Amino acid sequence: NAGVTQTPKFRILKIGQSMTLQCTQDMNHNYMYWYRQDPGMGLKLIYYSVGAGITDKGEVPNGYNVSRSTTEDFPLRLELAAPSQTSVYFCASSYPLGGDPYEQYFGPGTRLTVT
Amino acid sequence: QKEVEQDPGPLSVPEGAIVSLNCTYSNSAFQYFMWYRQYSRKGPELLMYTYSSGNKEDGRFTAQVDKSSKYISLFIRDSQPSDSATYLCADDYGGSQGNLIFGKGTKLSVKP
């Protein structure tokens, strides 16, 4: 299993541009999450999904959108990028059938710079 | 209020030392307490978790929860250079979605 994969690894955006961060997991996990991590800060939850077609806001959702059309994929959309969105973005998944919902498996991250 | 406080360090210790990493939390509804380890430029990985109060041991690592004082600790015995990483404590929101609130992380360096 590849686990959780994220693309791209790095990206530089200009202010006002848009982009989609891709996240795919091959562990058949129901739950998926998007976090951002700023330097010296912990992980902040942006959006989460408990299954295909179901998404909900986390702690810091402004400026982002998500969709979940399949169990495997959970893309994060940035509209009108702003310098405040410069961060490292992590996707995670959890809750295999019969497993514990709190063991989250993280992808390698996408480093985004908005200038 | 949902907060987890963690001293960001950095913490530098010699190889073989006993390391103590600590967090405090504010919401008494928290039930699951986790420690994630994050190597530089990598995603976090779950190290261990405990439910409610008490101790849990896994090899050189011991996680301890004191719900009366809202204090979470991770002890590393016989620390190794390979333990050099950022350690993040995390607590649940008390719901069923697996949503976690993370501390800022403590950066640990173990010198050979």
XYZ file of all heavy atoms in Angstrom, chain A residues 3-108:
838
model
N -0.335 4.103 1.023
C -0.763 4.918 2.157
C -1.470 6.171 1.673
O -2.346 6.110 0.816
N -1.064 7.316 2.192
C -1.632 8.608 1.801
C -0.623 9.326 0.912
O 0.523 9.524 1.315
C -1.957 9.480 3.032
C -2.530 10.823 2.596
C -2.920 8.754 3.962
N -1.028 9.659 -0.276
C -0.159 10.381 -1.195
C -0.725 11.768 -1.468
O -1.951 11.953 -1.517
C 0.019 9.630 -2.523
O -1.271 9.407 -3.107
C 0.688 8.280 -2.293
N 0.187 12.728 -1.629
C -0.201 14.116 -1.877
C 0.593 14.661 -3.057
O 1.782 14.379 -3.189
C 0.090 14.991 -0.655
C -0.758 14.704 0.559
C -0.458 15.649 1.699
O -0.072 15.225 2.792
N -0.642 16.943 1.474
N -0.071 15.422 -3.883
C 0.600 16.129 -4.963
C 0.043 17.534 -5.074
O -1.143 17.765 -4.775
C 0.408 15.413 -6.323
O -0.999 15.275 -6.582
C 1.082 14.062 -6.325
N 0.859 18.520 -5.426
C 2.315 18.422 -5.645
C 3.063 18.445 -4.323
O 2.463 18.634 -3.274
C 2.606 19.685 -6.456
C 1.630 20.682 -5.928
C 0.365 19.908 -5.642
N 4.362 18.251 -4.353
C 5.184 18.351 -3.144
C 5.470 19.810 -2.808
O 5.519 20.192 -1.634
C 6.507 17.607 -3.337
C 6.395 16.105 -3.279
C 7.765 15.449 -3.317
C 7.694 13.957 -3.021
N 6.751 13.234 -3.886
N 5.667 20.618 -3.827
C 5.974 22.040 -3.654
C 5.178 22.837 -4.685
O 4.919 22.347 -5.780
C 7.460 22.346 -3.878
C 8.393 21.535 -3.039
C 8.922 20.354 -3.534
C 8.756 21.966 -1.777
C 9.792 19.594 -2.761
C 9.631 21.211 -1.014
C 10.140 20.025 -1.499
N 4.829 24.069 -4.298
C 4.157 24.928 -5.269
C 4.333 26.371 -4.834
O 4.256 26.698 -3.647
C 2.670 24.598 -5.361
C 1.897 25.362 -6.411
C 2.240 24.952 -7.816
N 1.571 25.794 -8.794
C 0.382 25.540 -9.319
N -0.285 24.464 -8.957
N -0.137 26.365 -10.175
N 4.597 27.237 -5.825
C 4.625 28.673 -5.582
C 3.471 29.296 -6.364
O 3.358 29.082 -7.570
C 5.966 29.297 -6.009
C 7.112 28.694 -5.193
C 5.921 30.814 -5.820
C 8.490 29.151 -5.636
N 2.641 30.029 -5.678
C 1.488 30.682 -6.293
C 1.624 32.191 -6.196
O 2.209 32.699 -5.223
C 0.190 30.294 -5.564
C -0.527 28.988 -5.879
C -1.802 28.884 -5.062
C -0.829 28.858 -7.349
N 1.063 32.870 -7.150
C 0.968 34.322 -7.040
C -0.359 34.670 -6.350
O -1.348 33.918 -6.436
C 1.039 34.963 -8.413
C 2.383 34.793 -9.109
C 2.477 35.643 -10.350
C 3.750 35.392 -11.119
N 4.953 35.641 -10.284
N -0.374 35.796 -5.699
C -1.581 36.272 -5.025
C -2.745 36.297 -6.020
O -2.606 36.802 -7.137
C -1.364 37.665 -4.420
C -0.320 37.590 -3.290
C -2.669 38.257 -3.889
C 0.130 38.941 -2.776
N -3.861 35.740 -5.619
C -5.049 35.727 -6.449
C -5.221 34.493 -7.320
O -6.309 34.254 -7.855
N -4.148 33.703 -7.466
C -4.264 32.471 -8.243
C -5.021 31.417 -7.443
O -5.183 31.527 -6.218
C -2.880 31.945 -8.627
C -2.193 32.757 -9.708
C -0.868 32.133 -10.135
O -0.108 31.607 -9.308
N -0.596 32.193 -11.425
N -5.448 30.375 -8.141
C -6.146 29.266 -7.504
C -5.397 27.974 -7.798
O -4.637 27.892 -8.762
C -7.582 29.150 -8.026
O -8.305 30.328 -7.766
N -5.601 26.972 -6.941
C -5.006 25.666 -7.195
C -5.732 24.606 -6.379
O -6.461 24.925 -5.423
C -3.516 25.655 -6.854
C -3.197 25.590 -5.377
S -1.477 25.145 -5.030
C -1.412 23.446 -5.597
N -5.516 23.367 -6.774
C -6.071 22.219 -6.045
C -4.942 21.343 -5.549
O -4.059 20.963 -6.318
C -7.011 21.400 -6.942
O -8.104 22.226 -7.357
C -7.551 20.193 -6.188
N -4.959 21.058 -4.263
C -4.026 20.112 -3.673
C -4.703 18.743 -3.684
O -5.824 18.587 -3.210
C -3.685 20.508 -2.228
C -2.678 21.626 -2.009
C -3.227 22.960 -2.481
C -2.301 21.722 -0.538
N -3.973 17.778 -4.225
C -4.556 16.442 -4.364
C -4.152 15.545 -3.188
O -3.037 15.630 -2.681
C -4.098 15.796 -5.673
C -4.460 16.571 -6.919
C -5.964 16.584 -7.199
O -6.735 15.802 -6.638
N -6.389 17.501 -8.080
N -5.086 14.689 -2.784
C -4.831 13.718 -1.723
C -5.544 12.422 -2.072
O -6.747 12.441 -2.384
C -5.320 14.239 -0.381
S -5.166 13.021 0.963
N -4.810 11.330 -2.003
C -5.374 10.004 -2.295
C -4.876 9.021 -1.244
O -3.705 9.041 -0.887
C -4.946 9.517 -3.690
O -5.410 10.431 -4.671
C -5.518 8.141 -3.979
N -5.790 8.162 -0.777
C -5.387 7.092 0.141
C -5.913 5.758 -0.386
O -7.009 5.680 -0.942
C -5.870 7.375 1.575
C -7.354 7.639 1.739
C -8.184 6.410 2.034
O -7.656 5.319 2.282
N -9.506 6.585 2.035
N -5.099 4.726 -0.167
C -5.461 3.408 -0.690
C -5.705 2.405 0.434
O -5.527 1.194 0.239
C -4.385 2.905 -1.650
C -3.030 2.713 -0.976
O -2.902 3.008 0.229
O -2.094 2.287 -1.674
N -6.087 2.905 1.612
C -6.294 2.045 2.773
C -7.770 1.822 3.070
O -8.120 1.257 4.114
C -5.592 2.673 3.989
C -4.088 2.772 3.794
S -3.244 3.648 5.135
C -3.629 5.339 4.702
N -8.642 2.313 2.188
C -10.084 2.173 2.361
C -10.571 2.818 3.664
O -11.491 2.318 4.319
C -10.501 0.693 2.330
C -11.982 0.523 2.000
O -12.558 1.328 1.270
N -12.599 -0.499 2.555
N -9.929 3.933 4.038
C -10.331 4.653 5.239
C -11.551 5.515 4.961
O -11.647 6.170 3.925
C -9.184 5.541 5.731
C -8.088 4.766 6.372
N -6.923 5.367 6.811
C -7.957 3.455 6.662
C -6.142 4.457 7.352
N -6.744 3.288 7.263
N -12.470 5.536 5.921
C -13.663 6.367 5.749
C -13.354 7.845 5.979
O -13.875 8.707 5.291
C -14.751 5.947 6.748
C -15.270 4.554 6.465
O -15.193 4.069 5.346
N -15.793 3.911 7.477
N -12.549 8.115 6.985
C -12.352 9.501 7.400
C -11.105 10.081 6.759
O -10.059 9.424 6.691
C -12.196 9.595 8.926
C -13.399 9.179 9.729
C -13.341 9.147 11.119
C -14.600 8.828 9.133
C -14.437 8.781 11.881
C -15.702 8.448 9.874
C -15.610 8.425 11.252
O -16.696 8.058 12.003
N -11.230 11.318 6.296
C -10.079 12.028 5.751
C -10.067 13.458 6.259
O -11.126 14.028 6.574
C -10.087 11.982 4.216
C -9.939 10.569 3.663
S -9.733 10.491 1.885
C -8.039 11.081 1.692
N -8.872 14.038 6.331
C -8.688 15.355 6.953
C -7.686 16.177 6.161
O -6.761 15.645 5.544
C -8.140 15.195 8.382
C -8.836 14.168 9.227
C -8.467 12.828 9.167
C -9.859 14.529 10.106
C -9.113 11.874 9.947
C -10.502 13.578 10.895
C -10.123 12.254 10.804
O -10.756 11.318 11.577
N -7.852 17.485 6.219
C -6.847 18.407 5.723
C -6.413 19.313 6.865
O -7.240 19.910 7.576
C -7.378 19.283 4.591
C -7.251 18.666 3.250
C -8.222 18.129 2.481
C -6.044 18.541 2.479
N -7.723 17.663 1.292
C -6.377 17.907 1.270
C -4.710 18.901 2.702
C -5.439 17.625 0.282
C -3.776 18.619 1.736
C -4.144 17.986 0.524
N -5.075 19.414 7.035
C -4.488 20.285 8.036
C -3.530 21.258 7.363
O -2.976 20.976 6.305
C -3.654 19.486 9.050
C -4.414 18.537 9.931
C -4.593 17.210 9.564
C -4.921 18.953 11.163
C -5.268 16.323 10.390
C -5.592 18.073 11.997
C -5.770 16.766 11.600
O -6.425 15.887 12.427
N -3.280 22.360 8.036
C -2.168 23.227 7.676
C -1.252 23.355 8.887
O -1.714 23.298 10.048
C -2.630 24.607 7.201
C -3.430 25.402 8.184
C -3.768 26.769 7.603
N -2.591 27.651 7.564
C -2.562 28.832 6.971
N -3.630 29.292 6.348
N -1.463 29.564 6.986
N 0.041 23.486 8.603
C 1.026 23.614 9.674
C 1.918 24.800 9.355
O 2.694 24.765 8.401
C 1.862 22.338 9.817
C 2.797 22.359 11.015
C 3.534 21.047 11.191
O 3.916 20.395 10.225
N 3.749 20.631 12.449
N 1.818 25.834 10.163
C 2.660 27.004 10.023
C 3.896 26.829 10.898
O 3.858 26.098 11.898
C 1.895 28.258 10.422
C 0.659 28.471 9.550
O 0.719 28.094 8.362
O -0.353 28.975 10.051
N 5.016 27.495 10.557
C 6.262 27.314 11.318
C 6.071 27.532 12.813
O 5.514 28.549 13.224
C 7.194 28.358 10.703
C 6.680 28.556 9.324
C 5.192 28.403 9.417
N 6.523 26.571 13.619
C 6.432 26.698 15.069
C 5.037 26.533 15.623
O 4.817 26.765 16.817
N 4.126 26.131 14.764
C 2.737 25.971 15.203
C 2.317 24.525 15.031
O 2.870 23.772 14.254
C 1.821 26.878 14.380
C 2.182 28.339 14.436
S 1.988 29.032 16.077
C 0.211 29.105 16.189
N 1.297 24.156 15.732
C 0.752 22.816 15.578
C -0.089 22.718 14.325
O -0.160 23.639 13.515
N -0.715 21.594 14.160
C -1.569 21.359 13.012
C -2.947 21.951 13.269
O -3.517 21.758 14.336
C -1.693 19.860 12.765
C -0.391 19.163 12.393
C -0.449 17.689 12.721
C -0.111 19.346 10.922
N -3.461 22.662 12.278
C -4.800 23.232 12.384
C -5.698 22.534 11.350
O -5.337 22.448 10.176
C -4.782 24.738 12.087
C -3.914 25.537 13.048
C -4.526 25.618 14.424
C -3.727 26.556 15.324
N -4.266 26.607 16.695
N -6.848 22.073 11.796
C -7.762 21.345 10.926
C -8.513 22.315 10.022
O -9.152 23.261 10.501
C -8.748 20.536 11.773
C -9.742 19.664 11.027
C -9.027 18.545 10.275
C -10.754 19.064 12.000
N -8.467 22.065 8.718
C -9.140 22.925 7.748
C -10.528 22.377 7.425
O -11.540 23.060 7.589
C -8.314 23.040 6.455
C -6.901 23.524 6.753
C -8.994 23.991 5.466
C -5.966 23.458 5.545
N -10.568 21.158 6.927
C -11.813 20.452 6.610
C -11.617 18.975 6.908
O -10.502 18.479 6.942
C -12.156 20.599 5.118
C -12.993 21.800 4.755
C -12.384 22.972 4.308
C -14.379 21.759 4.837
C -13.146 24.079 3.961
C -15.152 22.860 4.486
C -14.529 24.019 4.054
O -15.280 25.113 3.712
N -12.744 18.286 7.095
C -12.690 16.851 7.246
C -13.891 16.217 6.567
O -14.870 16.899 6.219
C -12.612 16.441 8.717
C -13.843 16.752 9.536
C -14.803 15.781 9.758
C -14.014 18.011 10.111
C -15.934 16.060 10.522
C -15.139 18.302 10.868
C -16.088 17.325 11.089
O -17.203 17.597 11.843
N -13.782 14.902 6.372
C -14.853 14.159 5.710
C -14.977 12.781 6.371
O -13.971 12.121 6.621
C -14.527 13.991 4.228
O -15.406 13.063 3.623
N -16.193 12.383 6.650
C -16.404 11.084 7.280
C -16.842 10.031 6.265
O -17.113 8.884 6.635
C -17.419 11.165 8.442
C -16.899 12.085 9.526
C -18.786 11.612 7.960
N -16.903 10.427 4.998
C -17.256 9.470 3.956
C -17.529 10.197 2.660
O -17.650 11.441 2.641
N -17.625 9.454 1.585
C -17.895 10.057 0.272
C -19.180 10.867 0.332
O -20.197 10.409 0.843
C -17.977 8.972 -0.791
N -19.108 12.093 -0.185
C -20.258 12.976 -0.218
C -20.522 13.756 1.044
O -21.441 14.580 1.100
N -19.690 13.555 2.093
C -19.912 14.222 3.382
C -18.651 14.969 3.779
O -17.589 14.353 3.952
C -20.257 13.205 4.490
C -21.433 12.332 4.076
C -20.560 13.938 5.797
C -21.667 11.155 4.998
N -18.764 16.295 3.894
C -17.633 17.094 4.337
C -18.103 18.096 5.383
O -19.290 18.423 5.440
C -16.967 17.852 3.181
O -17.912 18.774 2.615
C -16.499 16.895 2.094
N -17.161 18.569 6.186
C -17.515 19.565 7.196
C -16.300 20.419 7.510
O -15.155 20.011 7.276
C -18.018 18.898 8.471
C -18.994 19.796 9.237
O -19.059 21.012 8.935
O -19.672 19.294 10.132
N -16.580 21.633 8.028
C -15.520 22.582 8.320
C -14.796 22.208 9.602
O -15.385 21.693 10.549
C -16.115 23.987 8.472
C -16.744 24.530 7.210
C -17.377 25.899 7.459
C -18.018 26.423 6.183
N -18.684 27.738 6.413
N -13.494 22.519 9.599
C -12.706 22.390 10.801
C -12.496 23.740 11.449
O -13.365 24.610 11.386
N -11.321 23.931 12.005
C -11.033 25.146 12.771
C -10.752 26.360 11.880
O -11.098 27.484 12.217
C -9.824 24.879 13.670
C -9.485 25.987 14.647
C -8.283 25.638 15.510
O -7.747 24.509 15.386
O -7.868 26.492 16.310
N -10.115 26.143 10.707
C -9.672 27.256 9.863
C -10.090 27.056 8.408
O -9.257 26.940 7.523
C -8.141 27.466 9.972
C -7.765 28.008 11.337
C -7.389 26.167 9.670
N -11.393 27.050 8.077
C -11.833 26.716 6.717
C -11.836 27.876 5.713
O -11.950 27.631 4.509
C -13.266 26.244 6.961
C -13.730 27.078 8.121
C -12.502 27.221 9.004
N -11.721 29.117 6.208
C -11.885 30.261 5.301
C -10.819 30.283 4.218
O -9.631 30.186 4.494
C -11.856 31.566 6.094
C -13.078 31.725 6.979
O -14.074 31.009 6.807
N -13.014 32.627 7.931
N -11.262 30.448 2.975
C -10.352 30.510 1.837
C -10.118 29.162 1.174
O -9.357 29.081 0.206
N -10.774 28.122 1.679
C -10.589 26.765 1.158
C -11.941 26.118 0.857
O -12.954 26.482 1.443
C -9.861 25.886 2.176
C -8.571 26.444 2.697
C -8.534 27.168 3.889
C -7.375 26.243 2.022
C -7.356 27.699 4.377
C -6.184 26.763 2.509
C -6.182 27.486 3.689
O -5.005 28.001 4.168
N -11.904 25.148 -0.051
C -13.075 24.313 -0.310
C -12.629 22.888 -0.528
O -11.495 22.637 -0.964
C -13.838 24.799 -1.545
C -14.781 25.934 -1.208
O -15.671 25.789 -0.374
N -14.571 27.070 -1.834
N -13.523 21.944 -0.250
C -13.205 20.533 -0.441
C -14.389 19.837 -1.093
O -15.510 20.357 -1.117
C -12.888 19.813 0.888
C -11.600 20.331 1.503
C -14.047 19.923 1.864
N -14.116 18.651 -1.600
C -15.150 17.757 -2.097
C -14.692 16.336 -1.819
O -13.506 16.073 -1.647
C -15.371 17.978 -3.590
O -14.168 17.746 -4.311
N -15.612 15.413 -1.771
C -15.268 14.001 -1.539
C -16.238 13.158 -2.363
O -17.301 12.751 -1.906
C -15.415 13.654 -0.044
C -14.987 12.217 0.278
C -13.606 12.150 0.802
N -13.195 10.781 1.102
C -13.340 10.199 2.309
N -13.898 10.866 3.312
N -12.923 8.967 2.485
N -15.859 12.899 -3.594
C -16.728 12.129 -4.487
C -16.439 10.631 -4.402
O -17.284 9.811 -4.764
C -16.594 12.617 -5.928
O -15.246 12.537 -6.340
N -15.256 10.269 -3.934
C -14.896 8.862 -3.789
C -14.289 8.647 -2.405
O -13.881 9.597 -1.740
C -13.882 8.406 -4.844
O -12.632 9.076 -4.600
C -14.366 8.705 -6.252
N -14.207 7.400 -1.972
C -13.559 7.093 -0.694
C -12.079 7.446 -0.732
O -11.510 7.882 0.257
C -13.719 5.596 -0.365
O -15.098 5.290 -0.251
C -13.028 5.233 0.948
N -11.449 7.282 -1.897
C -10.000 7.402 -1.988
C -9.495 8.851 -2.049
O -8.402 9.143 -1.598
C -9.485 6.683 -3.234
C -9.695 5.176 -3.236
C -11.122 4.790 -3.560
O -11.861 5.604 -4.150
O -11.504 3.643 -3.208
N -10.266 9.762 -2.645
C -9.752 11.089 -2.958
C -10.419 12.186 -2.144
O -11.633 12.185 -1.935
C -9.965 11.387 -4.455
C -9.255 10.383 -5.336
O -8.038 10.206 -5.148
O -9.926 9.759 -6.175
N -9.600 13.163 -1.744
C -10.118 14.276 -0.943
C -9.326 15.530 -1.321
O -8.426 15.968 -0.609
C -9.962 13.952 0.544
C -10.663 14.912 1.478
C -11.912 15.440 1.179
C -10.078 15.268 2.688
C -12.563 16.300 2.051
C -10.718 16.124 3.580
C -11.958 16.643 3.247
N -9.636 16.157 -2.464
C -8.891 17.337 -2.895
C -9.264 18.590 -2.110
O -10.408 18.758 -1.676
C -9.290 17.471 -4.373
C -10.637 16.807 -4.458
C -10.637 15.712 -3.447
N -8.269 19.458 -1.948
C -8.446 20.745 -1.266
C -8.234 21.853 -2.281
O -7.196 21.920 -2.933
C -7.432 20.884 -0.127
C -7.448 22.204 0.645
C -8.699 22.303 1.516
C -6.185 22.339 1.514
N -9.205 22.732 -2.395
C -9.162 23.817 -3.376
C -8.882 25.139 -2.674
O -9.541 25.477 -1.683
C -10.512 23.890 -4.098
C -10.641 25.000 -5.109
C -10.013 24.618 -6.413
N -10.202 25.670 -7.424
C -9.503 25.746 -8.544
N -8.570 24.833 -8.806
N -9.725 26.705 -9.410
N -7.885 25.853 -3.192
C -7.597 27.206 -2.727
C -8.075 28.183 -3.792
O -7.663 28.095 -4.952
C -6.100 27.436 -2.516
C -5.483 27.013 -1.209
C -5.401 25.491 -1.114
C -4.097 27.631 -1.053
N -8.956 29.071 -3.432
C -9.440 30.099 -4.339
C -8.826 31.434 -3.939
O -8.758 31.752 -2.759
C -10.964 30.206 -4.252
C -11.713 28.912 -4.509
C -11.815 28.555 -5.978
O -11.276 29.308 -6.813
O -12.436 27.519 -6.285
N -8.371 32.195 -4.912
C -7.833 33.529 -4.638
C -6.766 33.483 -3.541
O -6.947 34.002 -2.438
C -8.957 34.486 -4.219
C -10.066 34.709 -5.246
C -11.186 35.559 -4.657
C -9.479 35.388 -6.492
N -5.644 32.832 -3.860
C -4.593 32.619 -2.876
C -4.107 33.937 -2.261
O -3.969 34.963 -2.949
C -3.421 31.895 -3.518
N -3.838 33.879 -0.960
C -3.338 35.027 -0.204
C -2.053 34.623 0.524
O -1.852 33.433 0.820
C -4.386 35.479 0.804
N -1.172 35.595 0.820
C 0.076 35.262 1.528
C -0.162 34.521 2.844
O 0.675 33.708 3.244
C 0.710 36.645 1.768
C 0.196 37.484 0.646
C -1.208 37.016 0.408
N -1.294 34.752 3.491
C -1.612 34.071 4.749
C -1.818 32.565 4.559
O -1.855 31.817 5.547
C -2.860 34.679 5.389
O -3.977 34.530 4.525
N -1.943 32.126 3.320
C -2.119 30.705 3.050
C -0.796 29.988 2.791
O -0.778 28.789 2.507
C -3.082 30.494 1.881
C -4.508 30.923 2.214
C -5.462 30.763 1.050
O -5.222 31.308 -0.037
N -6.545 30.041 1.256
N 0.298 30.728 2.893
C 1.616 30.112 2.843
C 1.761 29.185 4.037
O 1.647 29.622 5.188
C 2.718 31.182 2.867
O 2.644 31.958 1.667
C 4.093 30.539 2.984
N 1.979 27.896 3.766
C 2.000 26.923 4.840
C 2.389 25.557 4.270
O 2.601 25.412 3.068
C 0.598 26.828 5.479
O 0.629 26.070 6.675
N 2.495 24.579 5.148
C 2.621 23.184 4.728
C 1.278 22.520 4.969
O 0.729 22.617 6.075
C 3.731 22.448 5.499
C 3.848 21.009 5.004
C 5.062 23.169 5.359
N 0.763 21.877 3.952
C -0.559 21.259 4.032
C -0.412 19.737 4.102
O 0.271 19.130 3.289
C -1.388 21.644 2.807
C -1.760 23.109 2.822
C -0.875 24.071 2.333
C -2.972 23.528 3.347
C -1.203 25.419 2.371
C -3.308 24.874 3.383
C -2.427 25.813 2.897
O -2.741 27.153 2.939
N -1.072 19.172 5.085
C -1.057 17.725 5.263
C -2.461 17.160 5.122
O -3.421 17.694 5.676
C -0.514 17.355 6.649
C 0.950 17.589 6.825
C 1.409 18.708 7.494
C 1.865 16.681 6.315
C 2.757 18.930 7.658
C 3.220 16.896 6.474
C 3.668 18.023 7.135
N -2.535 16.069 4.413
C -3.753 15.279 4.316
C -3.583 14.046 5.202
O -2.468 13.525 5.333
C -3.991 14.878 2.868
S -5.449 13.862 2.583
N -4.654 13.604 5.813
C -4.586 12.426 6.676
C -5.854 11.604 6.508
O -6.891 12.109 6.063
C -4.411 12.831 8.142
N -5.766 10.336 6.868
C -6.943 9.469 6.833
C -6.960 8.581 8.060
O -5.923 8.367 8.705
C -6.970 8.632 5.558
O -5.967 7.640 5.596
N -8.135 8.076 8.395
C -8.229 7.209 9.566
C -9.482 6.349 9.485
O -10.288 6.481 8.577
C -8.246 8.021 10.863
O -9.509 8.643 11.050
N -9.637 5.488 10.506
C -10.834 4.690 10.761
C -11.052 3.560 9.760
O -12.080 3.496 9.094
C -12.077 5.572 10.807
C -13.206 4.946 11.610
C -12.964 4.294 12.813
C -14.511 5.026 11.170
C -13.980 3.749 13.553
C -15.546 4.478 11.902
C -15.267 3.856 13.091
O -16.278 3.309 13.826
N -10.107 2.677 9.668
C -10.414 1.442 8.948
C -11.475 0.675 9.715
O -11.633 0.864 10.912
C -9.074 0.699 8.953
C -8.344 1.238 10.138
C -8.777 2.672 10.268
N -12.193 -0.187 9.057
C -13.283 -0.924 9.679
C -12.753 -1.693 10.877
O -11.806 -2.459 10.777
C -13.897 -1.889 8.670
C -15.160 -2.626 9.141
C -16.269 -1.614 9.388
C -15.593 -3.633 8.083
N -13.323 -1.451 12.034
C -12.882 -2.136 13.236
C -11.694 -1.498 13.900
O -11.266 -1.941 14.955
N -11.169 -0.437 13.314
C -9.987 0.182 13.895
C -10.328 1.335 14.808
O -11.467 1.628 15.079
N -9.326 2.018 15.244
C -9.490 3.135 16.158
C -9.549 4.426 15.350
O -8.713 4.658 14.499
C -8.311 3.191 17.127
C -8.491 4.297 18.144
O -8.220 5.454 17.812
O -8.925 3.984 19.260
N -10.530 5.284 15.626
C -10.681 6.478 14.775
C -9.613 7.524 14.977
O -9.552 8.476 14.235
C -12.050 7.031 15.175
C -12.247 6.537 16.563
C -11.581 5.196 16.619
N -8.774 7.387 15.986
C -7.863 8.465 16.278
C -6.456 8.240 15.766
O -5.614 9.090 15.889
C -7.850 8.727 17.782
C -9.250 9.039 18.258
C -10.017 8.083 18.891
C -9.797 10.279 18.022
C -11.308 8.351 19.287
C -11.091 10.557 18.416
C -11.841 9.595 19.050
O -13.114 9.863 19.429
N -6.177 7.073 15.158
C -4.879 6.878 14.555
C -4.966 7.409 13.140
O -5.486 6.746 12.247
C -4.447 5.420 14.550
C -3.067 5.246 13.929
C -2.485 3.876 14.121
O -3.170 3.017 14.715
O -1.344 3.653 13.691
N -4.458 8.589 12.966
C -4.499 9.215 11.656
C -3.192 8.962 10.928
O -2.111 9.085 11.500
C -4.773 10.715 11.788
C -6.156 10.994 12.373
C -6.531 12.453 12.343
O -5.865 13.272 11.713
N -7.610 12.797 13.024
N -3.301 8.627 9.653
C -2.146 8.378 8.799
C -1.973 9.599 7.902
O -2.902 9.977 7.187
C -2.360 7.123 7.962
C -2.434 5.864 8.769
C -3.596 5.509 9.435
C -1.336 5.022 8.880
C -3.671 4.355 10.193
C -1.393 3.861 9.636
C -2.565 3.539 10.290
O -2.631 2.400 11.042
N -0.794 10.171 7.961
C -0.535 11.422 7.261
C 0.223 11.208 5.965
O 1.066 10.310 5.853
C 0.277 12.367 8.146
C -0.541 13.023 9.236
C -0.842 12.344 10.404
C -1.013 14.321 9.080
C -1.605 12.936 11.406
C -1.768 14.926 10.077
C -2.064 14.227 11.230
N -0.060 12.063 5.013
C 0.729 12.130 3.802
C 2.014 12.913 4.033
O 2.233 13.444 5.127
N 2.859 13.033 2.999
C 4.156 13.705 3.154
C 4.069 15.221 3.155
O 5.046 15.890 3.459
C 4.947 13.210 1.944
C 3.908 12.912 0.929
C 2.718 12.426 1.676
